[in-house]
Amino acid sequence: RDRSPSRGLGDVYKRQALAGGVIASSASDVCVGEVPAAMTSSSAASGGSGSNYTYQWQSSTTSSSSGFSNIAGATSLAYTPSQAATQTTYYSRVATNLSIPVNSNVLTFTANALPTIAATASPTSVVSGGSSTLSASGGASYAWTPTASLNQATGQSVTATITAQTTYTVTGTDANECTNTGTVTVNILALNCLLYTSDAADDLLCVD
């Protein structure tokens, strides 16, 4: 005969407090127009019944403590965003067990504005085979294209030597690793030429 004590309706069962677990990400910043980094689960939910946890990811653009709403279809331990950021966004994961919800920590993705990149040429027009200095501003580093007619592909200031009208694009990167572009066109001067005879030879005199 089993002599273990029976459990009546008046018995009290102690359960470990439900914990929502911990979420993490490899980045905490995002450039406007880019998708935030994936979020992983450093630890799953624990406590409660000890099993049968469900998850729902939420986001907010209000603050780290309010304005959260469910992200459709985001019900796994981890979450990879698919929409580009337009402003600072906060993420949390809600774990539910025995109809009791509890939140994880909150991850903040700060949305950094894109730099305003400007490009200039001096002079803006040259004779065929002439050179112009291209300069950029608004970033911390710069890369230019096309590169065939440039003395170098990177730098705040480069020299272009052209034989045809060329439009250059410079990609600037700022301290937050956000990028934007600027463009500048270098034109070819139209020459006015006059054929004249001197010392029994034909000469061509051209002026811009």
Side-chain angles (χ1 to χ4, degrees), residues 8-198:
L9 293 177
D11 291 335
V12 177
Y13 299 96
K14 292 184 178 180
R15 298 186 186 277
Q16 183 181 356
L18 180 61
V22 177
I23 59 175
S25 179
S26 61
S28 59
D29 288 70
V30 62
C31 300
V32 168
E34 295 183 354
V35 177
M39 283 158 266
T40 59
S41 178
S42 296
S43 63
S46 60
S49 70
S51 62
N52 299 319
Y53 306 106
T54 60
Y55 299 96
Q56 175 64 61
W57 286 80
Q58 297 183 332
S59 66
S60 169
T61 55
T62 303
S63 74
S64 60
S65 59
S66 65
F68 282 88
S69 59
N70 291 344
I71 302 172
T75 57
S76 300
L77 277 169
Y79 173 61
T80 300
S82 59
Q83 293 189 343
T86 58
Q87 57 187 310
T88 296
T89 306
Y90 309 89
Y91 292 90
S92 181
R93 185 186 65 193
V94 179
T96 301
N97 182 249
L98 298 176
S99 300
I100 300 172
V102 63
N103 289 76
S104 69
N105 57 307
V106 175
L107 295 180
T108 301
F109 286 86
T110 301
N112 296 309
L114 303 184
T116 300
I117 304 300
T120 59
S122 180
T124 56
S125 297
V126 298
V127 297
S128 179
S131 296
S132 177
T133 299
L134 311 182
S135 300
S137 61
S141 63
Y142 306 92
W144 297 83
T145 57
T147 60
S149 56
L150 298 178
N151 67 322
Q152 59 190 51
T154 60
Q156 187 172 11
S157 180
V158 299
T159 300
T161 303
I162 63 171
T163 57
Q165 183 188 70
T166 306
T167 297
Y168 294 93
T169 299
V170 60
T171 299
T173 303
D174 66 11
N176 295 316
E177 297 299 318
C178 296
T179 63
N180 209 346
T181 60
T183 60
V184 64
T185 299
V186 182
N187 300 295
I188 294 295
L189 287 170
L191 298 180
N192 297 310
C193 297
L194 175 67
L195 180 66
Y196 70 98
T197 300
S198 174

